[in-house]
Amino acid sequence: MRTALALTTGLLALGTCLAAPASAAPAAEDGLVSCPLGVQNTSYTPGLTLTTPAPHVEVDSSGTLGPCVSTDLGHTGGTYEFEGSGNLNCLGGGSAGTGRITWSDPGTVPSRFTYTGTLALRPNGTTVLVATGPVTSGDYAGRTIVSTIVITSTDLLACASPSGLTSASGPFLVTVL
């Protein structure tokens, strides 16, 4: 159900991008790219628990982006990775770190970025991380990246265990503005 919701949200975002009138489309140098259908895997060290206040946790994530809607043909997919840390538990918290998107076209330059993010348990039980920050080098340098990670595999039993929730996966949506 959560995967279907996330895919529906991604498809709506994709449809919105495709439905924009041609006169509203930015020029290629405007640097707009939207990747609503990515998939990510994230690990937490130590694992996320229900402990409050939220303990300091290291976060490592990687995944794939695409298909992407872009103003050029060189940014239609790729891979990403980011790492960071922050005070997180299964109910929420915040983190900060760095990341890189390696675009699938060999003529592109990887986009490196920094981010700050907030992890929150939504009312429907889905955990969502929204992260934003500047692209610091490579393609889209100077632009802002907005990432949304939907963690669909949150196991509340793992959150209550001594080792906590050590990994999760789910849809990943990224937009460069």
Side-chain angles (χ1 to χ4, degrees), residues 96-119:
T98 61
R100 180 182 73 215
I101 295 173
T102 303
W103 301 102
S104 53
D105 186 304
T108 60
V109 177
S111 299
R112 295 184 183 278
F113 59 93
T114 60
Y115 76 90
T116 57
T118 302
L119 180 72

PDB file of all heavy atoms in Angstrom, residues 96-119:
ATOM      1  N   ALA A  96      22.402  15.832   8.944  1.00  0.00           N
ATOM      2  CA  ALA A  96      23.088  16.667   7.959  1.00  0.00           C
ATOM      3  C   ALA A  96      24.240  15.861   7.387  1.00  0.00           C
ATOM      4  O   ALA A  96      24.747  14.934   8.033  1.00  0.00           O
ATOM      5  CB  ALA A  96      23.611  17.946   8.612  1.00  0.00           C
ATOM      6  N   GLY A  97      24.641  16.181   6.158  1.00  0.00           N
ATOM      7  CA  GLY A  97      25.744  15.447   5.556  1.00  0.00           C
ATOM      8  C   GLY A  97      26.034  15.900   4.145  1.00  0.00           C
ATOM      9  O   GLY A  97      25.677  17.011   3.750  1.00  0.00           O
ATOM     10  N   THR A  98      26.674  15.014   3.393  1.00  0.00           N
ATOM     11  CA  THR A  98      27.071  15.294   2.019  1.00  0.00           C
ATOM     12  C   THR A  98      26.638  14.150   1.114  1.00  0.00           C
ATOM     13  O   THR A  98      26.389  13.035   1.571  1.00  0.00           O
ATOM     14  CB  THR A  98      28.593  15.453   1.905  1.00  0.00           C
ATOM     15  OG1 THR A  98      29.217  14.224   2.312  1.00  0.00           O
ATOM     16  CG2 THR A  98      29.099  16.599   2.767  1.00  0.00           C
ATOM     17  N   GLY A  99      26.551  14.451  -0.174  1.00  0.00           N
ATOM     18  CA  GLY A  99      26.151  13.415  -1.123  1.00  0.00           C
ATOM     19  C   GLY A  99      26.657  13.697  -2.518  1.00  0.00           C
ATOM     20  O   GLY A  99      27.255  14.744  -2.793  1.00  0.00           O
ATOM     21  N   ARG A 100      26.391  12.741  -3.393  1.00  0.00           N
ATOM     22  CA  ARG A 100      26.804  12.854  -4.790  1.00  0.00           C
ATOM     23  C   ARG A 100      25.806  12.118  -5.670  1.00  0.00           C
ATOM     24  O   ARG A 100      25.399  11.002  -5.356  1.00  0.00           O
ATOM     25  CB  ARG A 100      28.189  12.262  -4.986  1.00  0.00           C
ATOM     26  CG  ARG A 100      28.672  12.356  -6.434  1.00  0.00           C
ATOM     27  CD  ARG A 100      30.023  11.728  -6.635  1.00  0.00           C
ATOM     28  NE  ARG A 100      29.873  10.274  -6.565  1.00  0.00           N
ATOM     29  CZ  ARG A 100      30.777   9.455  -6.054  1.00  0.00           C
ATOM     30  NH1 ARG A 100      31.891   9.925  -5.554  1.00  0.00           N
ATOM     31  NH2 ARG A 100      30.569   8.162  -6.040  1.00  0.00           N
ATOM     32  N   ILE A 101      25.431  12.762  -6.775  1.00  0.00           N
ATOM     33  CA  ILE A 101      24.651  12.105  -7.820  1.00  0.00           C
ATOM     34  C   ILE A 101      25.583  11.921  -9.002  1.00  0.00           C
ATOM     35  O   ILE A 101      26.192  12.880  -9.485  1.00  0.00           O
ATOM     36  CB  ILE A 101      23.434  12.939  -8.245  1.00  0.00           C
ATOM     37  CG1 ILE A 101      22.453  13.073  -7.078  1.00  0.00           C
ATOM     38  CG2 ILE A 101      22.743  12.311  -9.452  1.00  0.00           C
ATOM     39  CD1 ILE A 101      21.294  14.010  -7.345  1.00  0.00           C
ATOM     40  N   THR A 102      25.728  10.696  -9.461  1.00  0.00           N
ATOM     41  CA  THR A 102      26.494  10.392 -10.662  1.00  0.00           C
ATOM     42  C   THR A 102      25.481  10.143 -11.766  1.00  0.00           C
ATOM     43  O   THR A 102      24.721   9.161 -11.724  1.00  0.00           O
ATOM     44  CB  THR A 102      27.392   9.159 -10.454  1.00  0.00           C
ATOM     45  OG1 THR A 102      28.257   9.411  -9.331  1.00  0.00           O
ATOM     46  CG2 THR A 102      28.222   8.876 -11.688  1.00  0.00           C
ATOM     47  N   TRP A 103      25.421  11.055 -12.713  1.00  0.00           N
ATOM     48  CA  TRP A 103      24.428  10.974 -13.788  1.00  0.00           C
ATOM     49  C   TRP A 103      24.808   9.856 -14.754  1.00  0.00           C
ATOM     50  O   TRP A 103      25.983   9.559 -14.948  1.00  0.00           O
ATOM     51  CB  TRP A 103      24.333  12.322 -14.494  1.00  0.00           C
ATOM     52  CG  TRP A 103      23.949  13.411 -13.549  1.00  0.00           C
ATOM     53  CD1 TRP A 103      24.772  14.344 -12.995  1.00  0.00           C
ATOM     54  CD2 TRP A 103      22.654  13.648 -13.000  1.00  0.00           C
ATOM     55  NE1 TRP A 103      24.077  15.155 -12.140  1.00  0.00           N
ATOM     56  CE2 TRP A 103      22.766  14.747 -12.124  1.00  0.00           C
ATOM     57  CE3 TRP A 103      21.406  13.047 -13.156  1.00  0.00           C
ATOM     58  CZ2 TRP A 103      21.673  15.263 -11.417  1.00  0.00           C
ATOM     59  CZ3 TRP A 103      20.322  13.553 -12.456  1.00  0.00           C
ATOM     60  CH2 TRP A 103      20.457  14.646 -11.602  1.00  0.00           C
ATOM     61  N   SER A 104      23.804   9.235 -15.359  1.00  0.00           N
ATOM     62  CA  SER A 104      24.050   8.071 -16.213  1.00  0.00           C
ATOM     63  C   SER A 104      24.750   8.425 -17.525  1.00  0.00           C
ATOM     64  O   SER A 104      25.430   7.577 -18.105  1.00  0.00           O
ATOM     65  CB  SER A 104      22.741   7.326 -16.489  1.00  0.00           C
ATOM     66  OG  SER A 104      21.754   8.191 -16.989  1.00  0.00           O
ATOM     67  N   ASP A 105      24.630   9.630 -18.016  1.00  0.00           N
ATOM     68  CA  ASP A 105      25.288  10.019 -19.254  1.00  0.00           C
ATOM     69  C   ASP A 105      26.760  10.300 -18.975  1.00  0.00           C
ATOM     70  O   ASP A 105      27.076  11.110 -18.096  1.00  0.00           O
ATOM     71  CB  ASP A 105      24.619  11.269 -19.835  1.00  0.00           C
ATOM     72  CG  ASP A 105      25.174  11.635 -21.199  1.00  0.00           C
ATOM     73  OD1 ASP A 105      26.404  11.814 -21.324  1.00  0.00           O
ATOM     74  OD2 ASP A 105      24.372  11.736 -22.140  1.00  0.00           O
ATOM     75  N   PRO A 106      27.684   9.660 -19.713  1.00  0.00           N
ATOM     76  CA  PRO A 106      29.115   9.857 -19.442  1.00  0.00           C
ATOM     77  C   PRO A 106      29.606  11.279 -19.723  1.00  0.00           C
ATOM     78  O   PRO A 106      30.670  11.661 -19.270  1.00  0.00           O
ATOM     79  CB  PRO A 106      29.808   8.846 -20.346  1.00  0.00           C
ATOM     80  CG  PRO A 106      28.800   8.452 -21.364  1.00  0.00           C
ATOM     81  CD  PRO A 106      27.450   8.683 -20.774  1.00  0.00           C
ATOM     82  N   GLY A 107      28.845  12.105 -20.406  1.00  0.00           N
ATOM     83  CA  GLY A 107      29.256  13.476 -20.687  1.00  0.00           C
ATOM     84  C   GLY A 107      28.912  14.453 -19.575  1.00  0.00           C
ATOM     85  O   GLY A 107      29.156  15.652 -19.701  1.00  0.00           O
ATOM     86  N   THR A 108      28.384  13.953 -18.470  1.00  0.00           N
ATOM     87  CA  THR A 108      27.998  14.820 -17.359  1.00  0.00           C
ATOM     88  C   THR A 108      29.045  14.769 -16.249  1.00  0.00           C
ATOM     89  O   THR A 108      29.917  13.903 -16.241  1.00  0.00           O
ATOM     90  CB  THR A 108      26.637  14.387 -16.786  1.00  0.00           C
ATOM     91  OG1 THR A 108      26.733  13.039 -16.330  1.00  0.00           O
ATOM     92  CG2 THR A 108      25.535  14.501 -17.832  1.00  0.00           C
ATOM     93  N   VAL A 109      28.945  15.703 -15.314  1.00  0.00           N
ATOM     94  CA  VAL A 109      29.841  15.762 -14.158  1.00  0.00           C
ATOM     95  C   VAL A 109      28.999  15.473 -12.919  1.00  0.00           C
ATOM     96  O   VAL A 109      27.923  16.048 -12.758  1.00  0.00           O
ATOM     97  CB  VAL A 109      30.504  17.153 -14.047  1.00  0.00           C
ATOM     98  CG1 VAL A 109      31.380  17.248 -12.813  1.00  0.00           C
ATOM     99  CG2 VAL A 109      31.301  17.451 -15.312  1.00  0.00           C
ATOM    100  N   PRO A 110      29.460  14.578 -12.033  1.00  0.00           N
ATOM    101  CA  PRO A 110      28.677  14.290 -10.825  1.00  0.00           C
ATOM    102  C   PRO A 110      28.330  15.558 -10.050  1.00  0.00           C
ATOM    103  O   PRO A 110      29.145  16.474  -9.944  1.00  0.00           O
ATOM    104  CB  PRO A 110      29.593  13.376 -10.005  1.00  0.00           C
ATOM    105  CG  PRO A 110      30.454  12.712 -11.028  1.00  0.00           C
ATOM    106  CD  PRO A 110      30.694  13.774 -12.077  1.00  0.00           C
ATOM    107  N   SER A 111      27.125  15.591  -9.535  1.00  0.00           N
ATOM    108  CA  SER A 111      26.654  16.717  -8.719  1.00  0.00           C
ATOM    109  C   SER A 111      26.907  16.387  -7.257  1.00  0.00           C
ATOM    110  O   SER A 111      26.364  15.413  -6.733  1.00  0.00           O
ATOM    111  CB  SER A 111      25.157  16.948  -8.942  1.00  0.00           C
ATOM    112  OG  SER A 111      24.886  17.264 -10.283  1.00  0.00           O
ATOM    113  N   ARG A 112      27.736  17.183  -6.605  1.00  0.00           N
ATOM    114  CA  ARG A 112      27.998  17.004  -5.172  1.00  0.00           C
ATOM    115  C   ARG A 112      27.159  18.025  -4.410  1.00  0.00           C
ATOM    116  O   ARG A 112      27.003  19.149  -4.859  1.00  0.00           O
ATOM    117  CB  ARG A 112      29.476  17.187  -4.875  1.00  0.00           C
ATOM    118  CG  ARG A 112      30.335  16.116  -5.526  1.00  0.00           C
ATOM    119  CD  ARG A 112      31.799  16.248  -5.137  1.00  0.00           C
ATOM    120  NE  ARG A 112      32.603  15.272  -5.820  1.00  0.00           N
ATOM    121  CZ  ARG A 112      32.757  14.001  -5.448  1.00  0.00           C
ATOM    122  NH1 ARG A 112      32.158  13.569  -4.362  1.00  0.00           N
ATOM    123  NH2 ARG A 112      33.499  13.173  -6.133  1.00  0.00           N
ATOM    124  N   PHE A 113      26.639  17.602  -3.254  1.00  0.00           N
ATOM    125  CA  PHE A 113      25.755  18.479  -2.504  1.00  0.00           C
ATOM    126  C   PHE A 113      25.918  18.264  -1.005  1.00  0.00           C
ATOM    127  O   PHE A 113      26.467  17.257  -0.565  1.00  0.00           O
ATOM    128  CB  PHE A 113      24.295  18.260  -2.909  1.00  0.00           C
ATOM    129  CG  PHE A 113      23.800  16.848  -2.708  1.00  0.00           C
ATOM    130  CD1 PHE A 113      23.163  16.472  -1.529  1.00  0.00           C
ATOM    131  CD2 PHE A 113      23.959  15.902  -3.705  1.00  0.00           C
ATOM    132  CE1 PHE A 113      22.708  15.176  -1.343  1.00  0.00           C
ATOM    133  CE2 PHE A 113      23.499  14.598  -3.530  1.00  0.00           C
ATOM    134  CZ  PHE A 113      22.877  14.235  -2.351  1.00  0.00           C
ATOM    135  N   THR A 114      25.474  19.243  -0.249  1.00  0.00           N
ATOM    136  CA  THR A 114      25.347  19.104   1.198  1.00  0.00           C
ATOM    137  C   THR A 114      23.858  19.152   1.495  1.00  0.00           C
ATOM    138  O   THR A 114      23.065  19.659   0.687  1.00  0.00           O
ATOM    139  CB  THR A 114      26.074  20.223   1.961  1.00  0.00           C
ATOM    140  OG1 THR A 114      25.518  21.477   1.594  1.00  0.00           O
ATOM    141  CG2 THR A 114      27.569  20.203   1.669  1.00  0.00           C
ATOM    142  N   TYR A 115      23.464  18.604   2.643  1.00  0.00           N
ATOM    143  CA  TYR A 115      22.045  18.601   2.964  1.00  0.00           C
ATOM    144  C   TYR A 115      21.820  18.710   4.460  1.00  0.00           C
ATOM    145  O   TYR A 115      22.689  18.387   5.264  1.00  0.00           O
ATOM    146  CB  TYR A 115      21.361  17.337   2.432  1.00  0.00           C
ATOM    147  CG  TYR A 115      21.654  16.108   3.266  1.00  0.00           C
ATOM    148  CD1 TYR A 115      20.824  15.768   4.337  1.00  0.00           C
ATOM    149  CD2 TYR A 115      22.756  15.310   3.007  1.00  0.00           C
ATOM    150  CE1 TYR A 115      21.104  14.660   5.128  1.00  0.00           C
ATOM    151  CE2 TYR A 115      23.034  14.204   3.790  1.00  0.00           C
ATOM    152  CZ  TYR A 115      22.199  13.882   4.847  1.00  0.00           C
ATOM    153  OH  TYR A 115      22.480  12.802   5.627  1.00  0.00           O
ATOM    154  N   THR A 116      20.659  19.183   4.802  1.00  0.00           N
ATOM    155  CA  THR A 116      20.109  19.047   6.144  1.00  0.00           C
ATOM    156  C   THR A 116      18.737  18.427   5.948  1.00  0.00           C
ATOM    157  O   THR A 116      18.040  18.732   4.972  1.00  0.00           O
ATOM    158  CB  THR A 116      19.987  20.398   6.884  1.00  0.00           C
ATOM    159  OG1 THR A 116      19.180  21.282   6.112  1.00  0.00           O
ATOM    160  CG2 THR A 116      21.349  21.012   7.142  1.00  0.00           C
ATOM    161  N   GLY A 117      18.380  17.535   6.843  1.00  0.00           N
ATOM    162  CA  GLY A 117      17.126  16.830   6.671  1.00  0.00           C
ATOM    163  C   GLY A 117      16.392  16.602   7.968  1.00  0.00           C
ATOM    164  O   GLY A 117      16.986  16.635   9.048  1.00  0.00           O
ATOM    165  N   THR A 118      15.099  16.379   7.829  1.00  0.00           N
ATOM    166  CA  THR A 118      14.250  16.086   8.968  1.00  0.00           C
ATOM    167  C   THR A 118      13.529  14.770   8.702  1.00  0.00           C
ATOM    168  O   THR A 118      12.907  14.596   7.656  1.00  0.00           O
ATOM    169  CB  THR A 118      13.218  17.205   9.176  1.00  0.00           C
ATOM    170  OG1 THR A 118      13.921  18.437   9.353  1.00  0.00           O
ATOM    171  CG2 THR A 118      12.358  16.940  10.387  1.00  0.00           C
ATOM    172  N   LEU A 119      13.652  13.849   9.648  1.00  0.00           N
ATOM    173  CA  LEU A 119      12.984  12.559   9.584  1.00  0.00           C
ATOM    174  C   LEU A 119      11.746  12.651  10.446  1.00  0.00           C
ATOM    175  O   LEU A 119      11.804  13.103  11.584  1.00  0.00           O
ATOM    176  CB  LEU A 119      13.909  11.458  10.115  1.00  0.00           C
ATOM    177  CG  LEU A 119      13.388  10.038  10.119  1.00  0.00           C
ATOM    178  CD1 LEU A 119      13.327   9.501   8.697  1.00  0.00           C
ATOM    179  CD2 LEU A 119      14.294   9.157  10.966  1.00  0.00           C
TER     180      LEU A 119
END
